[in-house]
């Protein structure tokens, strides 16, 4: 039996694909639950107030806001780690590598927003313009993975890279347009803490404990300052060093010394370790910590938790839309979101990329055809996680919020089907 060795990127694709399947399952569960006889329990759980209350201090929020503001800050922290890694050592670390996905991302942001403003005539829903600009990596990679060997790895890298650039654009939009009245004093304190972390990172000092304490403080300060607290996750991620403190040759030499010292350590007849063995194991732990990249280590540790826990919980809490009453849905707004997602992404990504290729601004890998670019452009219309997140920020009205969510769900489904059909017919 042969063991299939996966590259780090292929492992990433595998995790995201399984996450997409789990995301679909929790979305269906939320829809069924919200439209079942137990719908009242669905609302009661997510609106339950949770927090800390004392005689002099009170900080409580509904469960759904703890998810959207708290757990999603961890999701954004992971996005920040991915963005930093891609910019420094990944698929975005040179102008040549960046150009191809960058043009795709620009087309995937500009054209959907333009279509939204062109179609939408209701001034009350203008704030929803940012909903259609981001791509859900988990769902889109799950569809690509379902096509198996029909899809070249370069196409998956392209989709992942421009989706990450899309996410960066969405984060900037959230920070600039979907935050409240800003309290500059609290914001200055938060940036002071971040500045200290950046200075320590530049000097190759990193502590998970310090990052956790500083992260909680910055998150709270952003929340009270009027900036959406998930932005704190992105900025904290940029403070995590990518470089190791020890190079590979030194680590290998240390392993040799550890091996020799461990052989000399005393061995007890009891089923426990001797003091010498414990000391050597502690030395090995310290050496291993110095050899690990802090950014890579955190990204690896968090990826499974985000993919298999945080994002499904987000979907379960936010995808439960009651469709029993037609009057609770603004159909024209939902259709606007659908068109902006499906046609905006499908035309925007492929159109700008192919135009840039014709003008010789970018070079497309030879194993990627024009039809595959068009197919993956439609897959970019799967905007579930970030789209629903922005919808929650844009609307307090349940009618417009539910309409936006319906538009995102239907638009994402249509985009997935069209993209799948195009790619399946392309060998």
């Amino acid at each position: 039996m042969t063991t299939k060795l996966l590259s780090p990127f292929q492992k990433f694709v595998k995790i995201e694909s399984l996450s997409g399947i789990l995301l679909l399952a929790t979305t269906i569960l939320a829809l069924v639950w919200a439209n079942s006889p137990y719908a009242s329990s669905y609302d009661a759980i997510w609106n339950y107030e949770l927090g800390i209350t004392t005689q002099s201090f009170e900080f409580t929020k509904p469960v759904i806001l703890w998810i959207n503001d708290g757990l999603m800050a961890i999701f954004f922290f992971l996005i920040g780690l991915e963005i930093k890694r891609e910019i420094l050592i990944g698929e975005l670390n040179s102008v040549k590598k960046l150009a191809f996905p960058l043009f795709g991302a620009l087309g995937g942001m500009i054209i959907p927003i333009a279509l939204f403003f062109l179609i939408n005539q209701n001034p009350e829903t203008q704030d929803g313009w940012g909903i259609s600009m981001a791509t859900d990596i988990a769902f889109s990679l799950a569809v690509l993975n379902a096509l198996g060997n029909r899809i070249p790895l370069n196409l998956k890298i392209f989709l992942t890279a421009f989706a990450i650039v899309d996410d960066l654009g969405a984060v900037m939009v959230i920070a600039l347009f979907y935050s409240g009245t800003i309290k500059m004093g609290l914001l200055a304190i938060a940036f002071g803490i971040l500045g200290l972390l950046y200075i320590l990172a530049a000097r190759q000092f990193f502590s998970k404990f310090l990052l956790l304490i500083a992260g909680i403080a910055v998150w709270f300060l952003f929340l009270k300052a009027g900036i959406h607290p998930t932005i704190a996750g992105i900025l904290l991620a940029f403070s995590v060093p990518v470089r190791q403190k020890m190079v590979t040759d030194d680590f290998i030499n240390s392993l040799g010394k550890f091996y020799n010292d461990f052989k000399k350590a005393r061995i007890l007849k009891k089923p426990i370790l001797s003091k010498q063995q414990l000391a050597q194991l502690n030395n090995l732990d310290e050496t291993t910590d110095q050899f690990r990249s802090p950014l890579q280590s955190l990204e690896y540790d968090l990826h499974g938790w985000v993919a298999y826990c945080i994002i499904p919980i987000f979907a379960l809490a936010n995808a439960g839309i009651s469709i029993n009453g037609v009057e609770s849905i603004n159909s024209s707004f939902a259709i606007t979101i659908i068109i902006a997602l499906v046609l905006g992404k499908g035309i925007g990504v492929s159109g700008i990329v192919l135009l840039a290729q014709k003008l010789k601004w970018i070079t497309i890998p030879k194993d990627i055809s024009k039809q595959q670019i068009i197919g993956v452009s439609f897959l970019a219309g799967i905007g579930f996680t970030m789209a629903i997140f922005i919808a929650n920020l844009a609307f307090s009205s349940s009618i417009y919020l539910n309409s936006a969510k319906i538009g995102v769900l239907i638009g994402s489904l249509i985009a997935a089907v069209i993209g799948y059909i195009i790619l399946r017919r392309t060998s």
Side-chain angles (χ1 to χ4, degrees), residues 220-231:
F220 184 78
L221 288 166
F222 266 58
L223 179 68
K224 292 302 182 181
I227 300 288
H228 201 272
T230 51
I231 304 301

Side-chain angles (χ1 to χ4, degrees), residues 25-221:
T26 49
T27 300
I28 293 171
L29 175 60
L31 285 168
V32 171
W33 188 1
N35 291 278
S36 72
Y38 304 100
S40 58
S41 65
Y42 180 86
D43 294 330
I45 289 173
W46 306 123
N47 290 310
Y48 181 79
E49 292 283 334
L50 198 63
I52 301 172
T53 302
T54 66
Q55 290 183 344
S56 58
F57 178 78
E58 182 177 357
F59 184 61
T60 60
K61 296 163 75 73
V63 171
I64 192 168
L65 289 185
W66 279 112
I67 294 169
N68 293 350
D69 294 350
L71 286 183
M72 288 301 283
I74 302 173
F75 167 73
F76 276 77
F77 179 75
L78 179 61
I79 286 178
L81 294 175
E82 291 172 351
I83 290 171
K84 183 173 181 177
R85 172 178 49 79
E86 292 293 335
I87 290 174
L88 293 179
I89 56 175
E91 295 302 317
L92 306 176
N93 73 331
S94 68
V95 175
K96 185 177 180 181
K97 286 183 178 180
L98 178 61
F100 182 26
L102 177 61
F103 278 100
L106 289 174
M109 289 187 283
I110 295 171
I111 303 303
I113 292 172
L115 264 179
F116 178 89
F117 281 119
L118 182 66
I119 299 171
N120 186 58
Q121 301 298 320
N122 185 355
E124 294 182 2
T125 56
Q126 292 292 338
D127 287 344
W129 61 270
I131 294 172
S132 58
M133 64 179 293
T135 298
D136 193 288
I137 300 178
F139 264 141
S140 54
L141 283 178
V143 175
L144 269 188
N145 209 48
L147 291 161
N149 294 331
R150 295 171 182 267
I151 304 302
L153 186 61
N154 275 327
L155 193 66
K156 294 178 182 179
I157 292 173
F158 167 62
L159 173 61
T160 304
F162 85 67
I164 288 174
V165 177
D166 264 0
D167 282 342
L168 180 58
V171 168
M172 293 174 65
V173 165
I174 291 169
L176 295 174
F177 300 102
Y178 291 103
S179 294
T181 304
I182 299 174
K183 297 178 182 177
M184 298 306 296
L186 295 176
L187 194 61
I189 297 172
F191 275 109
I193 296 173
L194 286 169
L196 177 61
L197 291 177
Y198 293 155
I199 292 171
L200 293 174
R203 296 183 178 182
Q204 288 299 297
F205 176 83
F206 174 73
S207 165
K208 288 184 180 180
F209 178 75
L210 178 62
L211 181 69
L212 177 62
I213 298 301
I216 293 171
V218 172
W219 179 87
F220 184 78
L221 288 166

Side-chain angles (χ1 to χ4, degrees), residues 179-298:
S179 294
T181 304
I182 299 174
K183 297 178 182 177
M184 298 306 296
L186 295 176
L187 194 61
I189 297 172
F191 275 109
I193 296 173
L194 286 169
L196 177 61
L197 291 177
Y198 293 155
I199 292 171
L200 293 174
R203 296 183 178 182
Q204 288 299 297
F205 176 83
F206 174 73
S207 165
K208 288 184 180 180
F209 178 75
L210 178 62
L211 181 69
L212 177 62
I213 298 301
I216 293 171
V218 172
W219 179 87
F220 184 78
L221 288 166
F222 266 58
L223 179 68
K224 292 302 182 181
I227 300 288
H228 201 272
T230 51
I231 304 301
I234 292 278
L235 297 176
L236 282 164
F238 293 160
S239 74
V240 179
V242 68
R243 293 186 180 276
Q244 308 140 293
K245 292 181 180 179
M246 179 181 291
V247 296
T248 302
D249 289 342
D250 291 342
F251 180 69
I252 292 172
N253 292 334
S254 297
L255 286 180
K257 185 177 183 302
F258 166 80
Y259 175 74
N260 293 327
D261 291 342
F262 198 80
K263 282 178 65 179
K264 297 175 184 177
R266 183 187 175 194
I267 301 175
L268 301 179
K269 294 181 179 180
K270 300 176 182 179
I272 57 174
L273 301 178
S274 66
K275 291 182 179 180
Q276 294 90 339
Q277 288 175 319
L278 283 173
Q280 291 303 319
L281 286 177
N282 288 334
N283 290 336
L284 179 62
D285 287 340
E286 291 176 6
T287 304
T288 304
D289 285 340
Q290 290 181 347
F291 182 60
R292 284 194 183 104
S293 160
L295 185 145
Q296 184 184 36
S297 181
L298 270 177

Side-chain angles (χ1 to χ4, degrees), residues 323-363:
I323 54 177
N324 293 327
V326 179
E327 67 279 358
S328 64
I329 302 296
N330 186 304
S331 57
S332 62
F333 181 53
I335 292 170
T336 299
I337 296 295
I338 293 170
I339 293 173
L341 275 173
V342 179
L343 294 183
K345 289 287 189 178
I347 296 172
V349 175
S350 60
I352 298 296
V353 164
L354 295 176
L355 176 62
Q357 183 195 30
K358 190 171 183 179
L359 296 173
K360 297 182 179 180
W361 292 346
I362 62 171
T363 301

